[in-house]
């Protein structure tokens, strides 16, 4: 197979990037954002109680799901979206949507995320106004924004030049720079605030587009959920110190994945995540919500985990693709791929270069005649992505260079679960009964704890006076099987028998403190801790105007109980986090 032209896209890509940059003056737009947020006309975000009938997913390759799972599951042409990306997992989780919406309503999806996009490209390319379009994910660009009630956004990785970092510090596949210089450059972008400015502007513009989209009622109830990135490595395991993922193995010195290198790369990912979290917090007034917890989900599934330090690291327990993963298979544990030849065929079509003939001391491929059309690693990646959507391309692209260090489909399912849990936690119960407005629990109660099947809280009455009240959990929930708690529709002892006294609020995870956790046994015995489940408090407990709690018609009595020692809740929380699920 031959490539008709390998420079077909570079000029167009460069022109597109230049136009995007010219269209967006970041300093001017940041000032407009500041002025709008400080304006007397600005309306603060309001917590929604509306059904979700439409949602949009925006951002870069982490939203697009690049590479999940394999060549046969790519959609969207140059956007390189994957059929197992978390937006599709979210769309297809009917049980979670039933929990969120209170009925069988499953929202439609707009999937605009585009592999390789920066904050500027997100703003200029992904926020086009217009009505919903069916099967929108099959086209690369110009997808209309639609009329969503909420959005999900992953952005900042390409602004941080994470791909360049991986090339300079690990791959050394194309025109590599000095690893330390590249890492120091990102550190400077973090410290001087420039990276945060770009990410903040992208979040603001996406949330603003959501308000203008008209799907949220009121429009200030539009929500934008923002997860972070994942640190790639177990950085403590010395078994990985001899692993070298440099592409051209006979050119130059080895580049081992040492403990020090892994620690520094992980640290920078953590710093970028902290910056993203801070930017989301700053824009909470616009309905921007940071989604925490992904790092914990990946524990035991990163590169270089003990027992998973082979050269290829393609086993199923590793949740990131590597350069050795087979792209012609949808399976997540198939290795043996060699892509150096594919890269040469892509860059030098018809030249007949053979990767196996590159010997020690040979000039590297980026110094060969014809290599100047790709002046840096990012331009090469963009051309490869563009080739995925070009019908004139008849040769395979070195797809593993695009998808390495991206999650597999199994991992993206965890992203979807965490995002749906965050959505459930941050939306009020959907109800057609206007009297339910007086039942808002989260906005009126604090200092919750569980004491002998009673949930005790300090709640304000209609005049703002705080009252300590309680409600019987045995009347609130029932245990219906492994990992399942449901609101009780009748007074029954099943919950009390199965779950003993093991209910608490997870004090280790402040972002989900509005979720009740209970540890329930599968059989009616004293073993406990065999199965776990959780449920959102607002589906169980309401508040009356007198400040008392209500559950299934059972009104609480005033309480003078004291909370249990915090150490007990912490121990239970750790046991849940090791073996339970959200």
């Amino acid at each position: 197979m031959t490539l008709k032209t390998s420079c077909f896209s570079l000029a167009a890509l460069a022109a597109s990037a230049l136009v995007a940059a010219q269209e967006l003056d970041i300093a001017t737009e940041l000032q407009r954002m500041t002025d709008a947020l400080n304006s007397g006309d600005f309306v603060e975000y309001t917590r929604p109680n509306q059904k979700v009938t439409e949602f949009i997913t925006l951002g870069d390759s982490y939203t697009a799901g690049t590479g999940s799972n394999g060549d046969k599951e790519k959609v969207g042409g140059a956007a390189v979206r994957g059929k197992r990306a978390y937006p599709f997992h979210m769309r297809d989780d009917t049980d979670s949507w039933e929990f969120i919406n209170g009925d069988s309503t499953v929202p439609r999806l707009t999937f605009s995320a585009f592999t390789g996009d920066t904050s500027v490209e997100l703003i200029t390319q992904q926020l086009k106004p217009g009505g919903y379009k069916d099967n929108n994910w099959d086209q690369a660009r110009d997808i209309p924004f639609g009329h969503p009630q909420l959005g999900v956004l992953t952005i900042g990785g390409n602004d941080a030049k994470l791909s360049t970092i991986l090339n300079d510090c690990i791959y050394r596949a194309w025109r590599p720079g000095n690893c330390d210089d590249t890492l120091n450059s990102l550190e400077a972008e973090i410290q001087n605030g420039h990276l945060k400015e770009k990410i903040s502007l992208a979040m603001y513009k996406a949330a603003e587009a959501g308000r203008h989209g008209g799907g949220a009622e009121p429009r200030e109830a539009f929500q934008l959920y923002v997860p972070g990135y994942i640190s790639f490595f177990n950085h403590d395991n010395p078994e990985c110190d001899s692993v070298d993922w440099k592409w051209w193995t006979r050119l130059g010195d080895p580049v081992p994945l040492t403990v020090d290198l892994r620690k520094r790369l992980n640290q920078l990912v953590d710093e970028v995540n902290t910056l993203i979290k801070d930017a989301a917090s700053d824009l909470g007034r616009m309905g921007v919500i940071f989604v925490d917890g992904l790092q914990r989900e990946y524990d035991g599934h990163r590169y270089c985990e003990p027992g998973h330090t082979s050269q290829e690291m393609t086993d199923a327990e590793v949740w990131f693709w590597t350069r050795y993963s087979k792209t012609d298979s949808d399976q997540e544990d198939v290795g043996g791929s060699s892509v150096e030849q594919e890269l040469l065929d892509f860059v030098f079509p018809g030249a007949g270069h053979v990767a196996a003939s590159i010997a020690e001391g040979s000039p590297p491929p980026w110094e060969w005649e014809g290599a100047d059309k790709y002046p840096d690693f990012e331009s090469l990646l963009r051309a490869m992505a563009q080739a995925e959507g070009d019908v004139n391309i008849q040769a395979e692209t070195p797809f593993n260079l695009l998808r390495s260090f991206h999650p597999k489909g199994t991992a993206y399912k965890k992203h979807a679960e965490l995002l749906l849990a965050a959505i459930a936690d941050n939306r009020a119960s959907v109800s057609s009964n206007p009297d339910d407005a007086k039942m808002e629990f989260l906005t009126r109660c604090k200092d919750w704890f569980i004491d002998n099947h009673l949930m005790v809280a300090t709640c304000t009455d209609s005049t703002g006076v705080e009252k300590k009240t309680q409600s019987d959990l045995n009347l609130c929930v029932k245990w219906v099987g492994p990992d399942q708690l449901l609101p009780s529709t009748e007074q029954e002892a099943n919950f009390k028998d199965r779950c003993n006294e093991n209910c608490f609020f997870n004090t280790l995870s402040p972002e989900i403190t509005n979720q009740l956790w209970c540890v329930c046994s599968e059989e009616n015995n004293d073993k406990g801790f065999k199965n776990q489940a959780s449920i959102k408090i607002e589906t169980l407990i309401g508040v009356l105007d007198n400040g008392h709690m209500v559950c299934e018609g059972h009104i609480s009595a005033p309480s003078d109980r004291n909370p249990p020692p915090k150490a007990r809740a912490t121990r239970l929380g750790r046991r849940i986090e090791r073996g339970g699920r959200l």
Side-chain angles (χ1 to χ4, degrees):
M1 302 173 75
T2 59
L3 182 64
K4 291 187 177 179
T5 173
S6 62
C7 59
F8 67 96
S9 60
L10 186 59
L13 287 168
S16 175
L18 179 60
V19 169
Q22 290 175 340
E23 288 179 349
L24 192 74
D25 184 323
I26 292 179
T28 300
E29 293 297 329
L30 283 169
Q31 187 59 55
R32 288 175 179 168
M33 177 184 77
T34 301
D35 292 344
L37 291 172
N38 293 331
S39 168
D41 297 329
F42 177 75
V43 181
E44 301 275 345
Y45 160 73
T46 182
R47 182 183 175 90
N49 63 351
Q50 176 188 15
K51 289 182 183 179
V52 181
T53 59
E54 188 176 319
F55 72 109
I56 187 169
T57 53
L58 305 158
D60 55 25
S61 57
Y62 263 61
T63 307
T66 301
S68 57
N69 270 15
D71 290 326
K72 298 177 182 179
E73 297 195 1
K74 291 180 287 190
V75 296
V80 199
R81 303 180 187 109
K83 289 186 178 180
R84 303 192 206 188
Y86 71 70
F88 287 133
H89 283 304
M90 291 178 67
R91 178 199 63 183
D92 297 338
D93 191 341
T94 56
D95 288 343
S96 290
W97 288 117
E98 183 174 1
F99 178 71
I100 291 166
N101 283 330
D103 60 21
S104 59
T105 301
V106 176
R108 57 191 185 183
L109 165 67
T110 295
F111 193 168
S112 300
F114 196 100
T115 294
D117 269 7
T118 62
S119 294
V120 168
E121 289 160 325
L122 164 76
I123 296 167
T124 59
Q125 300 290 325
Q126 295 186 32
L127 307 180
K128 306 290 185 181
Y132 179 82
K133 182 175 181 179
D134 290 333
N135 300 317
N136 54 80
W137 43 83
D138 288 331
Q139 70 183 61
R141 290 294 194 191
D142 298 321
I143 298 174
F145 193 87
H147 309 294
Q149 289 79 45
L150 63 87
V152 180
L153 167 66
T154 308
I155 201 67
N158 294 308
D159 297 281
K161 299 187 181 298
L162 289 180
S163 294
T164 298
I165 289 172
L166 295 174
N167 182 60
D168 292 353
C169 297
I170 296 177
Y171 302 148
R172 304 196 69 76
W174 191 257
R175 302 186 188 277
N178 179 276
C179 177
D180 285 335
D181 290 345
T182 303
L183 295 179
N184 290 339
S185 177
L186 172 57
E187 189 68 51
E189 281 278 296
I190 294 172
Q191 296 302 324
N192 64 26
H194 292 168
L195 182 58
K196 184 180 178 182
E197 288 176 346
K198 297 173 188 175
I199 294 172
S200 297
L201 185 60
M203 291 181 187
Y204 173 79
K205 288 291 189 179
E208 183 183 47
R211 289 189 172 194
H212 290 320
E217 180 59 44
R219 74 188 197 110
E220 293 80 23
F222 180 83
Q223 297 175 313
L224 184 67
Y225 292 87
V226 182
Y229 295 90
I230 312 301
S231 53
F232 300 117
F233 301 100
N234 176 318
H235 58 230
D236 296 319
N237 179 21
E239 298 172 25
C240 225
D241 282 2
S242 60
V243 175
D244 180 2
W245 281 350
K246 185 179 65 175
W247 270 51
W248 313 105
T249 56
R250 291 181 293 277
L251 297 180
D253 296 328
V255 186
L257 299 176
T258 63
V259 165
D260 288 343
L261 175 60
R262 284 178 274 144
K263 281 184 177 179
R264 190 169 185 196
L265 292 175
N266 279 356
Q267 179 183 353
L268 282 172
V269 172
D270 290 343
E271 289 180 19
V272 170
N273 281 340
T274 297
L275 182 152
I276 293 171
K277 185 174 183 178
D278 290 347
S281 178
D282 293 344
L283 289 168
R285 302 168 62 204
M286 284 289 292
V288 180
I289 299 167
F290 182 77
V291 180
D292 214 341
L294 274 176
Q295 294 280 28
R296 184 171 59 246
E297 294 291 339
Y298 276 74
D299 288 348
H301 299 288
R302 294 178 172 86
Y303 298 132
C304 297
E305 299 285 3
H308 302 278
T309 55
S310 67
Q311 176 67 26
E312 294 195 351
M313 290 189 226
T314 53
D315 53 288
E317 289 301 308
V318 178
W319 282 1
F320 294 105
W321 300 108
T322 76
R323 55 170 289 193
Y324 303 99
S325 301
K326 284 284 189 181
T327 61
D328 59 358
S329 171
D330 64 357
Q331 301 302 304
E332 298 182 351
D333 59 352
V334 181
S337 178
S338 178
V339 290
E340 291 88 345
Q341 188 62 51
E342 290 179 1
L343 180 58
L344 292 183
D345 292 342
F346 180 81
V347 176
F348 308 102
H353 294 302
V354 178
S357 67
I358 299 176
E360 185 176 349
S362 299
W366 51 88
E367 294 182 2
W368 298 355
E369 183 179 356
D372 55 353
K373 59 177 144 320
Y374 301 120
D376 54 37
F377 185 62
E378 290 186 359
S379 65
L380 175 61
L381 290 183
R382 286 178 177 272
M384 287 165 47
Q386 188 69 22
E388 295 293 334
D390 195 303
V391 295
N392 294 318
I393 303 304
Q394 300 176 7
E396 295 293 332
T397 59
F399 188 44
N400 265 342
L401 193 57
L402 275 175
R403 77 166 182 173
S404 293
F405 285 82
H406 285 83
K408 299 175 180 178
T410 295
Y412 276 130
K413 190 171 184 179
K414 295 296 182 182
H415 291 232
E417 290 175 358
L418 202 64
L419 282 161
L420 287 166
I423 292 169
D425 287 347
N426 285 281
R427 299 184 73 84
S429 299
V430 176
S431 174
S432 59
N433 182 358
D435 291 337
D436 282 352
K438 67 183 181 183
M439 303 286 283
E440 287 288 309
F441 178 82
L442 294 177
T443 58
R444 295 179 59 178
C445 298
K446 63 181 182 179
D447 301 327
W448 323 313
F449 62 93
I450 308 298
D451 188 1
N452 192 28
H453 300 292
L454 294 174
M455 190 172 87
V456 184
T458 300
C459 306
T460 59
D461 64 15
S462 57
T463 66
V465 176
E466 293 185 344
K467 296 184 177 180
K468 200 169 195 179
T469 56
Q470 64 192 33
S471 195
D472 190 349
L473 282 175
N474 191 48
L475 302 174
C476 295
V477 294
K478 63 180 178 180
W479 184 92
V480 296
D483 296 325
Q484 297 181 67
L485 289 176
L486 294 177
S488 178
T489 56
E490 57 186 84
Q491 298 182 15
E492 58 179 89
N494 192 27
F495 171 79
K496 198 167 191 175
D497 292 340
R498 299 291 192 181
C499 303
N500 302 310
E501 296 183 6
N502 300 317
C503 291
F504 59 98
F505 297 98
N506 192 337
T507 57
L508 297 182
S509 301
E511 69 277 11
I512 55 172
T513 51
N514 62 331
Q515 217 162 23
L516 170 70
W517 293 70
C518 293
V519 184
C520 309
S521 62
E522 186 172 353
E523 303 296 336
N524 188 7
N525 55 38
D526 295 327
K527 294 180 181 179
F529 292 102
K530 189 169 183 180
N531 288 284
Q532 304 84 34
S534 62
I535 196 165
K536 189 178 175 187
I537 298 171
E538 280 192 323
T539 65
L540 308 178
I541 305 289
V543 187
L544 299 180
D545 285 342
N546 62 6
H548 290 182
M549 293 186 290
V550 62
C551 173
E552 298 293 330
H554 174 77
I555 300 175
S556 67
S559 172
D560 57 358
R561 296 173 181 269
N562 294 317
K566 184 173 283 190
R568 175 176 177 270
T570 300
R571 287 197 302 272
L572 291 173
R574 289 199 180 109
R575 296 181 73 171
I576 284 288
E577 290 196 342
R578 285 198 300 267
R581 66 178 177 87
L582 186 61

